[in-house]
Amino acid sequence: MQLRPNQRLKLDDTDDKLFYAYPRFVTHVDEGFIQQITDLYRDRLKPNTRIFDMMSSWVSHLPEEIEFDHVEGHGLNAEELGRNPRLNHSFVQNLNENPQLPLPDEDFDAVINCVSVQYVQYPEAVFSEIYRILKPGGVAIISFSNRMFFEKAIQAWREASEAQRVELVKAYFASIPGFTTAEVIVHKSTLPNLLQWLGAAGGDPFYAVIAYRN
């Protein structure tokens, strides 16, 4: 899987760090989505393990009752990351400029990415890094809904249907030898489109694509 150059384009091609220069202390999905991702983490993440929260913010949605050995955070706004109570350490890096993570090989039991994969312009490189830093048997959980900063999402994502976006993330995993066949969890919204658009509670569809390092 390789995206064509035009598929990587954003409507706003200015430096991502400018777009994220000011903190946004809001959640970008509704409470129903947040409950589902927290439940998924509760099911798939194990206590006393090492977690990498890629493209994180001021909240990680990790279950409050589970203690981890270390949670490393990454994002584009230091103030947001500094407000996140679950992070033991964090760093700022624009993956679209430099996808190589300053992290050791096989160092994490899990990599999580919540509602941010749509902004990655070089997923082949980023998912290769996810594989590199995962321990054998480690899990990667990529979750998303239908919301986005439209001007910052790549063309391949903007122009795809929700089902096609699932296939896109599955292809990202499949492009890296050594990941298991991706598992997909889908909970579509039952609300009418107008109510979803208005942000009614329970309106955000939930998608998660999950793979393990063999």
Side-chain angles (χ1 to χ4, degrees):
M1 194 283 308
Q2 182 115 10
L3 293 180
R4 299 186 302 276
N6 64 297
Q7 291 180 300
R8 304 180 196 274
L9 297 178
K10 302 184 178 191
L11 295 176
D12 176 1
D13 62 358
T14 58
D15 191 332
D16 291 335
K17 285 180 285 192
L18 296 175
F19 186 80
Y20 294 99
Y22 297 96
R24 296 177 175 89
F25 295 112
V26 297
T27 52
H28 301 290
V29 281
D30 66 16
E31 289 299 318
F33 183 103
I34 291 170
Q35 185 62 56
Q36 290 180 83
I37 191 58
T38 300
D39 287 344
L40 179 58
Y41 290 160
R42 183 177 288 114
D43 182 53
R44 299 302 177 101
L45 304 181
K46 298 174 182 176
N48 306 315
T49 54
R50 293 176 58 81
I51 311 297
F52 179 51
D53 187 0
M54 174 184 280
M55 305 176 78
S56 185
S57 64
W58 65 285
V59 60
S60 291
H61 309 307
L62 293 166
E64 292 183 4
E65 76 278 8
I66 299 181
E67 293 291 330
F68 299 101
D69 274 349
H70 183 87
V71 180
E72 183 78 16
H74 154 265
L76 275 175
N77 186 280
E79 193 173 345
E80 286 186 24
L81 295 171
R83 187 80 67 91
N84 189 327
R86 295 310 301 266
L87 303 182
N88 300 109
H89 180 264
S90 63
F91 64 96
V92 172
Q93 180 174 322
N94 183 353
L95 297 181
N96 290 330
E97 288 184 350
N98 175 18
Q100 187 168 356
L101 297 168
L103 301 169
D105 294 354
E106 300 183 10
D107 197 41
F108 291 91
D109 300 280
V111 174
I112 57 177
N113 180 296
C114 184
V115 297
S116 295
V117 69
Q118 59 267 30
Y119 308 119
V120 176
Q121 289 180 287
Y122 302 96
E124 308 91 338
V126 169
F127 276 66
S128 177
E129 283 291 280
I130 292 173
Y131 179 84
R132 180 184 67 78
I133 67 173
L134 274 177
K135 297 176 182 178
V139 63
I141 302 174
I142 311 296
S143 59
F144 52 94
S145 188
N146 58 358
R147 297 201 198 188
M148 71 189 90
F149 294 120
F150 197 77
E151 67 272 34
K152 281 296 183 182
I154 64 170
Q155 180 179 300
W157 194 273
R158 296 193 313 270
E159 295 184 351
S161 66
E162 291 180 27
Q164 288 169 334
R165 291 167 183 166
V166 171
E167 293 303 315
L168 197 59
V169 179
K170 287 171 62 179
Y172 294 166
F173 276 121
S175 71
I176 309 300
F179 274 120
T180 60
T181 300
E183 171 191 354
V184 175
I185 298 173
V186 176
H187 296 142
K188 294 184 178 180
S189 174
T190 57
L191 291 182
N193 288 339
L194 176 60
L195 291 181
Q196 289 185 46
W197 183 77
L198 291 173
D204 289 349
F206 177 85
Y207 298 96
V209 184
I210 305 163
Y212 292 80
R213 174 171 171 154
N214 276 327

